[in-house]
PDB file of all heavy atoms in Angstrom:
ATOM      1  N   MET A   3      25.662 110.141-121.540  1.00 60.00           N
ATOM      2  CA  MET A   3      25.086 111.187-122.385  1.00 60.00           C
ATOM      3  C   MET A   3      25.606 112.540-121.922  1.00 60.00           C
ATOM      4  O   MET A   3      25.539 112.868-120.743  1.00 60.00           O
ATOM      5  CB  MET A   3      23.555 111.130-122.285  1.00 60.00           C
ATOM      6  CG  MET A   3      22.863 112.004-123.271  1.00 60.00           C
ATOM      7  SD  MET A   3      21.110 111.600-123.475  1.00 60.00           S
ATOM      8  CE  MET A   3      20.461 111.940-121.849  1.00 60.00           C
ATOM      9  N   SER A   4      26.136 113.290-122.826  1.00 72.00           N
ATOM     10  CA  SER A   4      26.688 114.589-122.445  1.00 72.00           C
ATOM     11  C   SER A   4      25.599 115.654-122.499  1.00 72.00           C
ATOM     12  O   SER A   4      24.584 115.476-123.163  1.00 72.00           O
ATOM     13  CB  SER A   4      27.818 114.974-123.394  1.00 72.00           C
ATOM     14  OG  SER A   4      27.301 115.179-124.694  1.00 72.00           O
ATOM     15  N   ILE A   5      25.837 116.730-121.784  1.00 78.00           N
ATOM     16  CA  ILE A   5      24.935 117.887-121.819  1.00 78.00           C
ATOM     17  C   ILE A   5      25.565 118.919-122.734  1.00 78.00           C
ATOM     18  O   ILE A   5      26.740 119.249-122.583  1.00 78.00           O
ATOM     19  CB  ILE A   5      24.742 118.472-120.410  1.00 78.00           C
ATOM     20  CG1 ILE A   5      24.006 117.458-119.533  1.00 78.00           C
ATOM     21  CG2 ILE A   5      24.007 119.786-120.462  1.00 78.00           C
ATOM     22  CD1 ILE A   5      24.019 117.819-118.071  1.00 78.00           C
ATOM     23  N   ASP A   6      24.793 119.413-123.680  1.00 94.00           N
ATOM     24  CA  ASP A   6      25.344 120.362-124.637  1.00 94.00           C
ATOM     25  C   ASP A   6      24.981 121.812-124.334  1.00 94.00           C
ATOM     26  O   ASP A   6      25.716 122.716-124.686  1.00 94.00           O
ATOM     27  CB  ASP A   6      24.882 119.999-126.043  1.00 94.00           C
ATOM     28  CG  ASP A   6      25.476 118.679-126.500  1.00 94.00           C
ATOM     29  OD1 ASP A   6      26.653 118.423-126.194  1.00 94.00           O
ATOM     30  OD2 ASP A   6      24.769 117.901-127.155  1.00 94.00           O
ATOM     31  N   LYS A   7      23.817 122.009-123.718  1.00 97.00           N
ATOM     32  CA  LYS A   7      23.369 123.381-123.420  1.00 97.00           C
ATOM     33  C   LYS A   7      22.653 123.381-122.071  1.00 97.00           C
ATOM     34  O   LYS A   7      21.960 122.413-121.727  1.00 97.00           O
ATOM     35  CB  LYS A   7      22.382 123.877-124.479  1.00 97.00           C
ATOM     36  CG  LYS A   7      22.935 123.964-125.888  1.00 97.00           C
ATOM     37  CD  LYS A   7      23.712 125.246-126.092  1.00 97.00           C
ATOM     38  CE  LYS A   7      24.023 125.431-127.578  1.00 97.00           C
ATOM     39  NZ  LYS A   7      24.905 126.594-127.781  1.00 97.00           N
ATOM     40  N   LEU A  53      14.534 127.626-121.515  1.00 98.00           N
ATOM     41  CA  LEU A  53      14.741 127.032-122.849  1.00 98.00           C
ATOM     42  C   LEU A  53      15.336 128.067-123.807  1.00 98.00           C
ATOM     43  O   LEU A  53      16.283 127.772-124.546  1.00 98.00           O
ATOM     44  CB  LEU A  53      13.414 126.495-123.401  1.00 98.00           C
ATOM     45  CG  LEU A  53      12.829 125.305-122.641  1.00 98.00           C
ATOM     46  CD1 LEU A  53      11.412 125.008-123.127  1.00 98.00           C
ATOM     47  CD2 LEU A  53      13.716 124.063-122.796  1.00 98.00           C
ATOM     48  N   ALA A  56      18.960 128.547-122.937  1.00 98.00           N
ATOM     49  CA  ALA A  56      19.818 127.462-123.414  1.00 98.00           C
ATOM     50  C   ALA A  56      20.133 127.631-124.899  1.00 98.00           C
ATOM     51  O   ALA A  56      21.208 127.247-125.358  1.00 98.00           O
ATOM     52  CB  ALA A  56      19.153 126.114-123.152  1.00 98.00           C
ATOM     53  N   LEU A  57      19.178 128.205-125.629  1.00 98.00           N
ATOM     54  CA  LEU A  57      19.382 128.422-127.062  1.00 98.00           C
ATOM     55  C   LEU A  57      20.029 129.775-127.348  1.00 98.00           C
ATOM     56  O   LEU A  57      20.316 130.079-128.518  1.00 98.00           O
ATOM     57  CB  LEU A  57      18.031 128.346-127.796  1.00 98.00           C
ATOM     58  CG  LEU A  57      17.292 127.006-127.724  1.00 98.00           C
ATOM     59  CD1 LEU A  57      15.884 127.146-128.286  1.00 98.00           C
ATOM     60  CD2 LEU A  57      18.058 125.917-128.465  1.00 98.00           C
ATOM     61  N   ALA A  58      20.229 130.593-126.298  1.00 98.00           N
ATOM     62  CA  ALA A  58      20.745 131.961-126.454  1.00 98.00           C
ATOM     63  C   ALA A  58      19.891 132.749-127.446  1.00 98.00           C
ATOM     64  O   ALA A  58      20.397 133.434-128.333  1.00 98.00           O
ATOM     65  CB  ALA A  58      22.226 131.958-126.878  1.00 98.00           C
ATOM     66  N   LEU A  59      18.566 132.620-127.258  1.00 97.00           N
ATOM     67  CA  LEU A  59      17.626 133.281-128.166  1.00 97.00           C
ATOM     68  C   LEU A  59      16.799 134.353-127.461  1.00 97.00           C
ATOM     69  O   LEU A  59      15.642 134.592-127.803  1.00 97.00           O
ATOM     70  CB  LEU A  59      16.698 132.231-128.806  1.00 97.00           C
ATOM     71  CG  LEU A  59      17.323 131.367-129.903  1.00 97.00           C
ATOM     72  CD1 LEU A  59      16.328 130.310-130.391  1.00 97.00           C
ATOM     73  CD2 LEU A  59      17.799 132.221-131.075  1.00 97.00           C
ATOM     74  N   LYS A  84       5.598 126.559-128.143  1.00 97.00           N
ATOM     75  CA  LYS A  84       6.380 127.292-129.154  1.00 97.00           C
ATOM     76  C   LYS A  84       7.870 127.286-128.796  1.00 97.00           C
ATOM     77  O   LYS A  84       8.730 127.165-129.684  1.00 97.00           O
ATOM     78  CB  LYS A  84       5.865 128.730-129.274  1.00 97.00           C
ATOM     79  CG  LYS A  84       4.434 128.834-129.808  1.00 97.00           C
ATOM     80  CD  LYS A  84       4.012 130.299-129.886  1.00 97.00           C
ATOM     81  CE  LYS A  84       2.505 130.457-130.077  1.00 97.00           C
ATOM     82  NZ  LYS A  84       1.985 129.891-131.315  1.00 97.00           N
ATOM     83  N   ALA A  85       8.186 127.414-127.507  1.00 98.00           N
ATOM     84  CA  ALA A  85       9.594 127.376-127.091  1.00 98.00           C
ATOM     85  C   ALA A  85      10.187 125.986-127.337  1.00 98.00           C
ATOM     86  O   ALA A  85      11.342 125.856-127.767  1.00 98.00           O
ATOM     87  CB  ALA A  85       9.714 127.761-125.615  1.00 98.00           C
ATOM     88  N   VAL A  86       9.397 124.943-127.081  1.00 98.00           N
ATOM     89  CA  VAL A  86       9.874 123.576-127.337  1.00 98.00           C
ATOM     90  C   VAL A  86      10.079 123.373-128.845  1.00 98.00           C
ATOM     91  O   VAL A  86      11.051 122.725-129.261  1.00 98.00           O
ATOM     92  CB  VAL A  86       8.885 122.543-126.753  1.00 98.00           C
ATOM     93  CG1 VAL A  86       9.261 121.127-127.173  1.00 98.00           C
ATOM     94  CG2 VAL A  86       8.850 122.644-125.227  1.00 98.00           C
ATOM     95  N   ASP A  87       9.207 123.947-129.651  1.00 98.00           N
ATOM     96  CA  ASP A  87       9.392 123.882-131.107  1.00 98.00           C
ATOM     97  C   ASP A  87      10.720 124.529-131.507  1.00 98.00           C
ATOM     98  O   ASP A  87      11.409 124.044-132.425  1.00 98.00           O
ATOM     99  CB  ASP A  87       8.246 124.602-131.829  1.00 98.00           C
ATOM    100  CG  ASP A  87       6.952 123.807-131.805  1.00 98.00           C
ATOM    101  OD1 ASP A  87       6.994 122.600-131.491  1.00 98.00           O
ATOM    102  OD2 ASP A  87       5.893 124.406-132.100  1.00 98.00           O
ATOM    103  N   MET A  88      11.074 125.620-130.829  1.00 98.00           N
ATOM    104  CA  MET A  88      12.337 126.300-131.136  1.00 98.00           C
ATOM    105  C   MET A  88      13.528 125.420-130.763  1.00 98.00           C
ATOM    106  O   MET A  88      14.545 125.399-131.474  1.00 98.00           O
ATOM    107  CB  MET A  88      12.389 127.643-130.398  1.00 98.00           C
ATOM    108  CG  MET A  88      11.341 128.622-130.901  1.00 98.00           C
ATOM    109  SD  MET A  88      11.118 130.047-129.802  1.00 98.00           S
ATOM    110  CE  MET A  88      12.591 130.956-130.177  1.00 98.00           C
ATOM    111  N   VAL A  89      13.405 124.688-129.649  1.00 98.00           N
ATOM    112  CA  VAL A  89      14.458 123.747-129.249  1.00 98.00           C
ATOM    113  C   VAL A  89      14.647 122.691-130.338  1.00 98.00           C
ATOM    114  O   VAL A  89      15.776 122.400-130.761  1.00 98.00           O
ATOM    115  CB  VAL A  89      14.100 123.074-127.900  1.00 98.00           C
ATOM    116  CG1 VAL A  89      15.063 121.928-127.589  1.00 98.00           C
ATOM    117  CG2 VAL A  89      14.116 124.106-126.768  1.00 98.00           C
ATOM    118  N   ARG A  90      13.534 122.145-130.791  1.00 97.00           N
ATOM    119  CA  ARG A  90      13.612 121.081-131.820  1.00 97.00           C
ATOM    120  C   ARG A  90      14.150 121.629-133.132  1.00 97.00           C
ATOM    121  O   ARG A  90      14.954 120.985-133.802  1.00 97.00           O
ATOM    122  CB  ARG A  90      12.220 120.471-132.024  1.00 97.00           C
ATOM    123  CG  ARG A  90      11.786 119.681-130.784  1.00 97.00           C
ATOM    124  CD  ARG A  90      10.451 118.989-130.991  1.00 97.00           C
ATOM    125  NE  ARG A  90      10.104 118.266-129.761  1.00 97.00           N
ATOM    126  CZ  ARG A  90       8.908 118.261-129.194  1.00 97.00           C
ATOM    127  NH1 ARG A  90       7.914 118.922-129.754  1.00 97.00           N
ATOM    128  NH2 ARG A  90       8.690 117.583-128.095  1.00 97.00           N
ATOM    129  N   ALA A  91      13.705 122.833-133.490  1.00 97.00           N
ATOM    130  CA  ALA A  91      14.160 123.435-134.751  1.00 97.00           C
ATOM    131  C   ALA A  91      15.666 123.675-134.732  1.00 97.00           C
ATOM    132  O   ALA A  91      16.322 123.633-135.775  1.00 97.00           O
ATOM    133  CB  ALA A  91      13.410 124.743-134.998  1.00 97.00           C
ATOM    134  N   ALA A  92      16.203 123.920-133.539  1.00 97.00           N
ATOM    135  CA  ALA A  92      17.646 124.157-133.411  1.00 97.00           C
ATOM    136  C   ALA A  92      18.427 122.845-133.344  1.00 97.00           C
ATOM    137  O   ALA A  92      19.664 122.851-133.303  1.00 97.00           O
ATOM    138  CB  ALA A  92      17.921 125.004-132.169  1.00 97.00           C
ATOM    139  N   GLY A  93      17.701 121.715-133.320  1.00 97.00           N
ATOM    140  CA  GLY A  93      18.369 120.419-133.336  1.00 97.00           C
ATOM    141  C   GLY A  93      18.698 119.862-131.965  1.00 97.00           C
ATOM    142  O   GLY A  93      19.554 118.980-131.843  1.00 97.00           O
ATOM    143  N   TYR A  94      17.990 120.342-130.929  1.00 97.00           N
ATOM    144  CA  TYR A  94      18.253 119.887-129.562  1.00 97.00           C
ATOM    145  C   TYR A  94      17.043 119.171-128.978  1.00 97.00           C
ATOM    146  O   TYR A  94      15.921 119.307-129.482  1.00 97.00           O
ATOM    147  CB  TYR A  94      18.610 121.077-128.664  1.00 97.00           C
ATOM    148  CG  TYR A  94      19.965 121.667-128.966  1.00 97.00           C
ATOM    149  CD1 TYR A  94      20.113 122.654-129.941  1.00 97.00           C
ATOM    150  CD2 TYR A  94      21.104 121.222-128.304  1.00 97.00           C
ATOM    151  CE1 TYR A  94      21.360 123.185-130.240  1.00 97.00           C
ATOM    152  CE2 TYR A  94      22.351 121.746-128.595  1.00 97.00           C
ATOM    153  CZ  TYR A  94      22.475 122.721-129.561  1.00 97.00           C
ATOM    154  OH  TYR A  94      23.703 123.238-129.858  1.00 97.00           O
ATOM    155  N   ALA A  95      17.288 118.417-127.919  1.00 97.00           N
ATOM    156  CA  ALA A  95      16.221 117.793-127.140  1.00 97.00           C
ATOM    157  C   ALA A  95      16.454 118.103-125.664  1.00 97.00           C
ATOM    158  O   ALA A  95      17.594 118.230-125.214  1.00 97.00           O
ATOM    159  CB  ALA A  95      16.213 116.286-127.359  1.00 97.00           C
ATOM    160  N   ILE A  96      15.365 118.226-124.924  1.00 98.00           N
ATOM    161  CA  ILE A  96      15.451 118.479-123.477  1.00 98.00           C
ATOM    162  C   ILE A  96      15.858 117.183-122.781  1.00 98.00           C
ATOM    163  O   ILE A  96      15.279 116.125-123.035  1.00 98.00           O
ATOM    164  CB  ILE A  96      14.098 118.964-122.936  1.00 98.00           C
ATOM    165  CG1 ILE A  96      13.702 120.289-123.582  1.00 98.00           C
ATOM    166  CG2 ILE A  96      14.130 119.095-121.406  1.00 98.00           C
ATOM    167  CD1 ILE A  96      12.248 120.691-123.335  1.00 98.00           C
ATOM    168  N   THR A  97      16.862 117.281-121.901  1.00 97.00           N
ATOM    169  CA  THR A  97      17.259 116.094-121.133  1.00 97.00           C
ATOM    170  C   THR A  97      16.804 116.172-119.675  1.00 97.00           C
ATOM    171  O   THR A  97      16.550 115.145-119.060  1.00 97.00           O
ATOM    172  CB  THR A  97      18.787 115.893-121.166  1.00 97.00           C
ATOM    173  OG1 THR A  97      19.426 117.118-120.831  1.00 97.00           O
ATOM    174  CG2 THR A  97      19.231 115.433-122.536  1.00 97.00           C
ATOM    175  N   SER A 158      18.539 121.353-119.160  1.00 98.00           N
ATOM    176  CA  SER A 158      19.682 120.918-119.960  1.00 98.00           C
ATOM    177  C   SER A 158      19.171 120.356-121.269  1.00 98.00           C
ATOM    178  O   SER A 158      18.094 119.748-121.330  1.00 98.00           O
ATOM    179  CB  SER A 158      20.509 119.877-119.208  1.00 98.00           C
ATOM    180  OG  SER A 158      19.715 118.771-118.838  1.00 98.00           O
ATOM    181  N   LEU A 159      19.957 120.602-122.313  1.00 98.00           N
ATOM    182  CA  LEU A 159      19.614 120.145-123.672  1.00 98.00           C
ATOM    183  C   LEU A 159      20.764 119.326-124.214  1.00 98.00           C
ATOM    184  O   LEU A 159      21.927 119.547-123.867  1.00 98.00           O
ATOM    185  CB  LEU A 159      19.386 121.333-124.614  1.00 98.00           C
ATOM    186  CG  LEU A 159      18.417 122.436-124.204  1.00 98.00           C
ATOM    187  CD1 LEU A 159      18.324 123.470-125.337  1.00 98.00           C
ATOM    188  CD2 LEU A 159      17.050 121.893-123.864  1.00 98.00           C
ATOM    189  N   ILE A 160      20.417 118.393-125.084  1.00 97.00           N
ATOM    190  CA  ILE A 160      21.445 117.622-125.798  1.00 97.00           C
ATOM    191  C   ILE A 160      21.246 117.834-127.298  1.00 97.00           C
ATOM    192  O   ILE A 160      20.104 117.930-127.769  1.00 97.00           O
ATOM    193  CB  ILE A 160      21.393 116.127-125.423  1.00 97.00           C
ATOM    194  CG1 ILE A 160      22.597 115.402-125.980  1.00 97.00           C
ATOM    195  CG2 ILE A 160      20.092 115.483-125.873  1.00 97.00           C
ATOM    196  CD1 ILE A 160      22.779 114.006-125.400  1.00 97.00           C
ATOM    197  N   LYS A 161      22.355 117.923-128.020  1.00 96.00           N
ATOM    198  CA  LYS A 161      22.293 118.064-129.483  1.00 96.00           C
ATOM    199  C   LYS A 161      21.941 116.718-130.075  1.00 96.00           C
ATOM    200  O   LYS A 161      22.556 115.700-129.744  1.00 96.00           O
ATOM    201  CB  LYS A 161      23.648 118.551-130.003  1.00 96.00           C
ATOM    202  CG  LYS A 161      23.686 118.808-131.490  1.00 96.00           C
ATOM    203  CD  LYS A 161      23.149 120.171-131.829  1.00 96.00           C
ATOM    204  CE  LYS A 161      23.363 120.491-133.322  1.00 96.00           C
ATOM    205  NZ  LYS A 161      22.623 121.701-133.722  1.00 96.00           N
ATOM    206  N   LEU A 162      20.947 116.702-130.923  1.00 94.00           N
ATOM    207  CA  LEU A 162      20.540 115.444-131.562  1.00 94.00           C
ATOM    208  C   LEU A 162      21.424 115.175-132.771  1.00 94.00           C
ATOM    209  O   LEU A 162      21.901 116.118-133.431  1.00 94.00           O
ATOM    210  CB  LEU A 162      19.080 115.542-132.004  1.00 94.00           C
ATOM    211  CG  LEU A 162      18.073 115.645-130.845  1.00 94.00           C
ATOM    212  CD1 LEU A 162      16.682 115.917-131.390  1.00 94.00           C
ATOM    213  CD2 LEU A 162      18.085 114.381-129.999  1.00 94.00           C
ATOM    214  N   PRO A 163      21.642 113.905-133.085  1.00 91.00           N
ATOM    215  CA  PRO A 163      22.406 113.583-134.301  1.00 91.00           C
ATOM    216  C   PRO A 163      21.702 114.164-135.525  1.00 91.00           C
ATOM    217  O   PRO A 163      20.468 114.160-135.576  1.00 91.00           O
ATOM    218  CB  PRO A 163      22.391 112.049-134.347  1.00 91.00           C
ATOM    219  CG  PRO A 163      21.934 111.605-133.009  1.00 91.00           C
ATOM    220  CD  PRO A 163      21.159 112.709-132.380  1.00 91.00           C
ATOM    221  N   GLN A 164      22.462 114.655-136.438  1.00 78.00           N
ATOM    222  CA  GLN A 164      21.867 115.250-137.650  1.00 78.00           C
ATOM    223  C   GLN A 164      21.216 114.191-138.525  1.00 78.00           C
ATOM    224  O   GLN A 164      21.736 113.115-138.672  1.00 78.00           O
ATOM    225  CB  GLN A 164      22.945 115.999-138.461  1.00 78.00           C
ATOM    226  CG  GLN A 164      23.559 117.154-137.690  1.00 78.00           C
ATOM    227  CD  GLN A 164      22.548 118.260-137.346  1.00 78.00           C
ATOM    228  OE1 GLN A 164      21.692 118.572-138.165  1.00 78.00           O
ATOM    229  NE2 GLN A 164      22.655 118.805-136.154  1.00 78.00           N
TER     230      GLN A 164
END
Side-chain angles (χ1 to χ4, degrees):
M3 189 164 63
S4 66
I5 294 168
D6 293 321
K7 298 278 191 186
L53 293 171
L57 298 171
L59 285 176
K84 295 180 194 298
V86 172
D87 286 345
M88 294 166 75
V89 170
R90 291 184 180 136
Y94 289 87
I96 298 167
T97 50
S158 57
L159 308 182
I160 190 167
K161 183 83 173 169
L162 293 173
Q164 298 297 321

